[in-house]
Amino acid sequence: MQKTKPEGRIEPYHHAAAGWGAVKQVAINLVREKVAGGNYKTLLKQNQPDGFDCPGCAWPDREHASTFEFCENGVKAVAAEATSKRVRPDFFAAHTVTELLAQSDYQLEQHGRLTDPMVYDSASDKYLPIAWDDAFALIARHLKALPDPNQATFYVSGRTGNEAAFLFQLFVRMYGTNNFPDCSNMCHEPTSRGLPGTVGTGKGTVTLEDFEHADTLLIFGQNPATNHPRMLGELRDCAKRGATIVSINPLRERGLERFTSPSHPMEMLTNASTEISSMFVQPKLGGDFALIKAIAKRLVERDDAALAAGQASLLDRDFIAAHTSGYEAFEQDLRTQDWDQLLAESGVPRAQVEALAEVYIKGKRVISTWGMGLTQHKGAVATIQMLSNLMMMRGNIGRLGAGLCPVRGHSNVQGDRTMGIEEKPTKAFLDRMQKVFAFEPPRAHGYDTVESIQAMLDGKVKVFFGMGGNFAMATPDTPLTFDALRACDLTVHVATKLNRSHLVHGKDALILPTLGRTEIDMQAGVPQGVTVEDSMSMVHLSYGMNQPASDNLLSETMITARMAHATLGSGKVDWLALGCDYARIRDAIEQVFDDFHDFNARVAKPGGFHLRVASREREWRTASGKAQFVPHAVDTDTPIHRARALHGERLMTLMTARSHDQYNTTIYGMDDRYRGVFGLRRVVFIHRADLELLGMRNGQWVDIVSVWDDGVQRRAERFLLVEYDIPRGCLGSYFPETNGLVPLHSTADGAGTPTSKSIPVLLHLSAEQSSAE
């Protein structure tokens, strides 16, 4: 049998991140999406005070007056909305759902913007047009028929603006449930659950101003060049003025090596670049906790030596005494911690740990940032609390140029949580909702994302409503998630473009097309703006400027208002009036949240306003009234440990990641140029020594099989082996193709986030490869 030639090609990428390569991709995407020339001016209004907030990542904007506040992946997101391609009713008339299911996620994305509400017809296996009133009547009929409101679950994507999110949670709670699975559950939930236990709030403690004063940055588990490219501009400025930047990540990512800024003409004209990181540390997958604890232990040892030599303490003992509790127990835990265990679990040599500790000791103003490389693990909450411990040891929280900086993904994922998209609401929030809106909100905790999937499988949830996103492909254990959605009586998806979730449907199903962030949102003859909150708690106003893709689109806010009106009536809340005037929604938000006082006036100012973060001002909203040191032991009984005990060195740990041509589950193209992958996505990155260990070769095709103790066979077939700079025993591959390998109940302790960065797997030569050799 003739060997199958790999699709695409693997070719090392030797250039800096961004630069002319990014400019080229901007042009390619504008052409690919057939963006009309008149809409190119949209880019000049991106992240501007009189324009719209980027629908991509949540990195904040430094210069609202700049005419160049966008990045390559931001352009891809804007181009996807501004495309001239349309998915009209005649498209659905020509294709059955079964036929569309055979298309790739990239192909589905490329069809263009949805234009009309559609309802599934089981007789023809097609989506048919439906009037908006009839769509809302269908939703209301299903919701009213449920014997218990908890039999419905309401998912929210991080692109949803504050006004829609607030109105949505009000409607759902007045309906009677706290079932709010959202994208936070799948990414930064360990941050939201971990930080309150140490510093009293689940948000970061820094602003962009702190980056101007920091002398040291520790970047954990991030790939800014792909996931939040505008962060590279900030890192470039830090590097230019001499700050020490350390990248701590299993993959040595190009964007943290060299960056050519498209905003700086001289770099572009000379093909120059800026060196970003001065030090790279590559812990093994799941090794960050042990590494951070090792740095803390080394700091205690170095402090002992300093004191013995009559030198000043290396700890900020004034901060520890005045602002913290529990340090003595934490220090004792560090002293008894075995070094060999920390080194083995982190995968980092002791010399490098000591060098990293010296960088931290030398730093006077240190910022620690992190992404999902820290959060999508079983011990993620403990890892984030250990990082808080380390930062508190030297007083690096609550002062200029220092602090904790979780970098969120979607543009308003933090704002949605602020607005009440939370399955575990606090009593204080519910009491305030009760007072302002004169109803008794449900008090029992609701389902998060994983719990919602299990509840659908168990028949406990019969209606699924998705406000944006691609739930079927973003979630773990893909076949089980498909089964869960198909078990529902009704599935509803609000979306701008077709995706696979619309094709994995309940008995009844609706696709509701909505306005994009870039489009004019006209209500009652008045253009409406929506607000968003970025990763650093800045709230600002966003106005679309493009004509809507269809006259039959509704905003997410109006969809919520009309659904609420159809389901609950407008006796207590005038839903339609709120849907027509977003300023009135902001007035209501102001009544519920004290930090949003004078909301409309403050957000009208260019750049918006900063939400107060108490821990930034060294106000600790913890039970003790102080920041809390929390000791944690190294967990040596994880699924990875148990699987390795069974399978030995052949057991690998897999992490999922984005390619450069995607944003979350949205596939913009088939390249990942910074990693040297062109024209294909089914690849698995592996260390050369592991290829030798497994008796495999670079360029062979393999199947990936996850190892779990529930007897379920989870297999992802036909992936190309790509030799890469990754720690021994670790693999990397793209999602959503490998999401099916993540067991549904493999989640972060205390947070419920899928462990997509630490999946125990085995590799087998694919049947095709085996028969070809």
Side-chain angles (χ1 to χ4, degrees), residues 278-297:
S278 55
M279 182 179 183
F280 281 85
V281 180
Q282 293 177 271
K284 67 183 183 181
L285 290 168
D288 296 279
F289 172 84
L291 173 62
I292 296 167
K293 190 171 186 179
I295 299 168
K297 180 176 176 65

Side-chain angles (χ1 to χ4, degrees), residues 360-433:
Y360 181 61
I361 290 169
K362 182 181 178 182
K364 303 299 183 184
R365 297 174 300 279
V366 183
I367 293 175
S368 285
T369 80
W370 67 93
M372 285 182 282
L374 288 196
T375 62
Q376 291 183 325
H377 297 277
K378 182 177 186 292
V381 171
T383 300
I384 288 158
Q385 292 188 334
M386 188 58 63
L387 183 56
S388 293
N389 294 336
L390 177 65
M391 294 289 281
M392 288 189 292
M393 292 174 79
R394 286 180 51 79
N396 276 309
I397 299 176
R399 59 188 173 89
L400 186 65
L404 299 165
C405 182
V407 181
R408 313 282 177 169
H410 244 148
S411 60
N412 199 43
V413 61
Q414 183 161 304
D416 288 347
R417 180 57 59 90
T418 299
M419 290 295 104
I421 303 299
E422 161 71 277
E423 77 279 3
K424 298 179 178 66
T426 65
K427 179 180 183 299
F429 168 71
L430 294 178
D431 288 346
R432 196 67 170 265
M433 290 291 292

Side-chain angles (χ1 to χ4, degrees), residues 232 241 250 323 339 479 694:
L232 287 179
R241 60 177 175 75
H323 290 282
W339 262 113
L694 298 174

Side-chain angles (χ1 to χ4, degrees), residues 169-248:
Q169 66 83 28
L170 174 60
F171 157 61
V172 172
R173 289 196 164 97
M174 291 192 78
Y175 172 68
T177 184
N178 284 315
N179 288 345
F180 280 112
D182 76 321
C183 55
S184 291
N185 297 152
M186 293 182 284
C187 55
H188 265 286
E189 197 68 61
T191 299
S192 299
R193 304 305 177 196
L195 289 183
T198 56
V199 298
T201 181
K203 296 183 180 183
T205 67
V206 302
T207 67
L208 281 183
E209 182 186 4
D210 289 304
F211 280 78
E212 296 177 0
H213 300 277
D215 58 36
T216 305
L217 291 96
L218 307 179
I219 303 174
F220 289 90
Q222 285 182 263
N223 178 19
T226 290
N227 298 334
H228 23 265
R230 285 185 296 130
M231 181 180 179
L232 287 179
E234 209 63 49
L235 297 180
R236 173 190 180 276
D237 291 346
C238 291
K240 285 284 189 184
R241 60 177 175 75
T244 300
I245 301 176
V246 182
S247 176
I248 303 161

Side-chain angles (χ1 to χ4, degrees), residues 13 70 265 352 476 570 645:
Y13 189 81
F70 57 88
Q352 196 169 32
S570 292

